[in-house]
Amino acid sequence: VQLVESGGGLVQAGGSLRLSCVLSRVGLRDYVIAWFRQAPGKEREGVSCITDPDESTWYKDSVKGRFTISSDSAKNTVYLQMNSLKPEDTAVYYCALGGRWAFTTAQAMGVLESDGMDYWGKGTLVTVSS
């Protein structure tokens, strides 16, 4: 399994970016694709995830209403549309693939755990200027 992120960049506060995660050689079923982020000096945190094949979604509270995760199965791509960006959204954003239990746990506990992920991309940097 390979995951490749793109779409990061520099944007002013209030602006938008769309991140893409292209998946290859998956050969799996009933998994979750997640977006994590890690800001300088902070721990990695789960931002959002979407399940395959039913496309159920989960969002971290601080991005609800601003970020939207979606999947295009024909393109093997998962997107993270980020609107109304804030300086505190500045981070390296990572795409990851894991078992469906990570989604179930996130729903129950309110936190998407990184140790539930089996595969990771290399990340894309998002910088939001004030």
Side-chain angles (χ1 to χ4, degrees):
V1 175
Q2 293 183 335
L3 302 96
V4 179
E5 306 96 333
S6 63
L10 174 64
V11 64
Q12 288 187 332
S16 298
L17 284 174
R18 188 178 77 161
L19 305 183
S20 299
C21 174
V22 179
L23 291 73
S24 61
R25 294 185 285 181
V26 176
L28 301 171
R29 294 187 64 184
D30 206 19
Y31 55 86
V32 62
I33 298 296
W35 287 97
F36 288 79
R37 66 186 181 187
Q38 188 166 18
K42 295 187 177 181
E43 293 187 354
R44 189 173 298 186
E45 62 178 5
V47 175
S48 181
C49 67
I50 187 167
T51 61
D52 180 274
D54 55 301
E55 298 187 358
S56 298
T57 60
W58 175 89
Y59 297 94
K60 177 180 173 62
D61 283 347
S62 63
V63 306
K64 285 181 180 177
R66 300 190 298 124
F67 291 10
T68 303
I69 192 169
S70 61
S71 175
D72 185 337
S73 58
K75 296 183 178 180
N76 290 325
T77 302
V78 171
Y79 302 99
L80 186 67
Q81 177 67 43
M82 305 187 297
N83 299 328
S84 302
L85 282 162
K86 303 176 181 180
E88 52 263 44
D89 294 317
T90 295
V92 177
Y93 283 71
Y94 299 89
C95 178
L97 183 151
R100 186 183 178 90
W101 71 267
F103 168 78
T104 304
T105 302
Q107 279 194 313
M109 306 299 293
V111 176
L112 182 62
E113 298 288 354
S114 60
D115 60 4
M117 301 297 116
D118 300 310
Y119 302 94
W120 292 84
K122 294 183 178 181
T124 185
L125 176 63
V126 172
T127 303
V128 184
S129 63
S130 57

